């Protein structure tokens, strides 16, 4: 398997994206569970049929580009494969020295965000990203090796990992989190996402509140015909002000609702590149089911 991945890593990105588009449709054809989940999640958000079809191919491209990203030599920069939009926001946040918390959903190529940031700013600040190790030994080893790059550090999705993220922010460094990833039981709260209750992590907003770090939104748009990626950076809106007498649970839900709203706004910029097949609405083992609560209706794309 590694030999195949190494061979793929040497192919042009445009070739990998063509292979990936075919792979995406192959998975769609053979997996009824995947088809149902993608359709249901996209329909919940009011996503147009054309964007749903695009999402099938884009999910395959995401998989096919991983060898190119993971096995690319550390001394071979991304260079012109990355174009920046809003990078001044990240530069200003680093200059402020209060730490930078970067949030990106499962949109476009989130793997390239960390590498591009580490290449450009790693000489002045390490970027620490949280990840969930793969179950297969060979894949876990590949992930760890691929992500061990200058200016880039990773921590596991555990209490120890959370402590390392907080320490990094308090040192004035950068931290990256995928806030639309379903957290383990006890590390999230139910909040609406595209009009349906989704178990949402509380880590991101707690880190922001406890550290005072700058909060930025970032995502990498996959450009047509393997032309590379456009990284978009924007300041996050302000977190909700704590309500007088609000319980910790109520405040967590308010923060999670705001967080999901930010992610929705990013996804609507390019709905065809969101990972609609991700099991976003699952109930984590041990977590209580979502209580009945008023929800908003996802509007059209």
């Amino acid at each position: 398997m590694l030999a195949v991945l190494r061979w793929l890593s040497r192919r042009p990105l445009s070739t990998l994206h063509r292979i990936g588009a075919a792979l995406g449709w192959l998975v769609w054809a053979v997996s009824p569970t995947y088809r149902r989940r993608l359709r249901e999640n996209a329909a919940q958000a009011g996503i147009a049929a054309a964007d749903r079809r695009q999402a099938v191919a884009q999910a395959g491209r995401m998989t096919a580009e991983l060898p190119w990203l993971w096995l690319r030599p550390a001394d071979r920069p991304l260079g012109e494969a990355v174009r920046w939009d809003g990078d001044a926001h990240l530069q200003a946040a680093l200059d402020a020295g209060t730490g930078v918390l970067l949030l990106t959903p499962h949109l476009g190529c989130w793997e390239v965000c960390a590498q591009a940031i580490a290449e450009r700013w790693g000489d002045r600040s390490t970027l620490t990203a949280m990840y969930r190790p793969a179950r297969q030994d060979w894949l876990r080893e590949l992930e760890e090796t691929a992500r061990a790059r200058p200016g880039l550090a990773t921590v596991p999705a555990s209490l120890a990992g959370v402590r390392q993220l907080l320490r990094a922010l308090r040192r004035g460094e950068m931290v990256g989190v995928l806030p639309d990833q379903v957290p383990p039981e006890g590390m999230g709260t139910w909040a609406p996402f595209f009009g349906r209750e989704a178990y949402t992590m509380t880590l991101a907003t707690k880190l922001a509140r406890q550290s005072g770090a700058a909060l930025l939104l970032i995502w990498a748009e996959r450009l047509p015909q393997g032309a590379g990626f456009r990284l978009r950076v924007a300041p996050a809106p302000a977190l909700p002000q704590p309500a007088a007498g609000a319980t910790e649970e109520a405040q967590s839900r308010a923060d999670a609702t705001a967080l999901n709203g930010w992610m929705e706004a990013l996804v609507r910029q390019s709905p065809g590149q969101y990972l609609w097949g991700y099991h976003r609405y699952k109930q984590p083992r041990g977590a209580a089911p979502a209580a009945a609560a008023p929800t908003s209706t996802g509007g059209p794309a």
Side-chain angles (χ1 to χ4, degrees), residues 209-221:
R209 289 191 182 278
Q210 292 176 21
S211 68
L215 197 52
L216 298 180
L217 309 179
I218 182 170
W219 71 279
E221 176 189 7

Side-chain angles (χ1 to χ4, degrees), residues 5-6 8-11 66-79 115 119 145-150:
L5 293 177
R6 289 193 181 97
L8 288 171
S9 73
R10 296 190 291 270
R11 307 282 74 80
L66 287 178
W68 185 86
L69 285 165
W70 284 358
L71 297 175
R72 180 177 54 84
D75 60 355
R76 191 176 78 199
L78 291 165
Q115 289 193 19
E119 280 189 7
T145 302
R147 290 167 174 162
R149 293 176 177 269

Side-chain angles (χ1 to χ4, degrees), residues 28-29 52 56 63 69-70 95 124 128 138 140 162 164 170 182-184 206 216-217 229 244 258 261 285 287 289 296:
W28 170 271
R52 297 184 208 180
V56 174
T63 301
L69 285 165
W70 284 358
D95 291 342
R124 62 175 295 183
T128 303
W138 70 271
R140 182 169 59 253
V162 170
Q164 290 180 65
R170 287 175 172 167
V182 180
K206 285 181 177 179
L216 298 180
L217 309 179
F229 310 92
R285 182 178 302 173
S296 59

Side-chain angles (χ1 to χ4, degrees), residues 189 202 206 209 240-256:
T189 187
T202 54
K206 285 181 177 179
R209 289 191 182 278
Q241 287 296 320
T247 64
E248 181 179 353
E249 181 180 357
Q251 186 60 56
S252 292
R253 178 176 169 85
D255 285 350

Side-chain angles (χ1 to χ4, degrees), residues 114-138:
Q115 289 193 19
I117 291 170
E119 280 189 7
R120 183 161 175 183
W121 287 287
D123 59 342
R124 62 175 295 183
S125 174
T126 298
L127 170 65
T128 303
M130 176 172 278
Y131 78 105
R132 190 171 297 168
R135 294 179 181 177
Q136 299 92 339
D137 290 341
W138 70 271

Side-chain angles (χ1 to χ4, degrees), residues 169-229:
L169 289 174
R170 287 175 172 167
R171 289 194 301 266
E173 296 176 357
M174 298 179 287
V175 161
V177 175
L178 272 76
D180 62 338
Q181 189 167 32
V182 180
E185 185 273 331
M187 296 182 67
T189 187
W190 293 100
F193 183 64
F194 286 112
R196 180 179 173 186
E197 294 291 301
Y199 198 66
T200 303
M201 72 160 56
T202 54
L203 171 63
T205 53
K206 285 181 177 179
L207 285 174
R209 289 191 182 278
Q210 292 176 21
S211 68
L215 197 52
L216 298 180
L217 309 179
I218 182 170
W219 71 279
E221 176 189 7
R222 190 175 293 110
L223 298 175
Q225 300 179 0
F229 310 92

Side-chain angles (χ1 to χ4, degrees), residues 96-123:
T98 57
V100 185
L101 179 55
L102 295 151
L103 307 179
T104 182
H106 289 84
L107 177 66
C109 180
W110 58 89
E111 284 279 349
V112 79
C113 291
Q115 289 193 19
I117 291 170
E119 280 189 7
R120 183 161 175 183
W121 287 287
D123 59 342

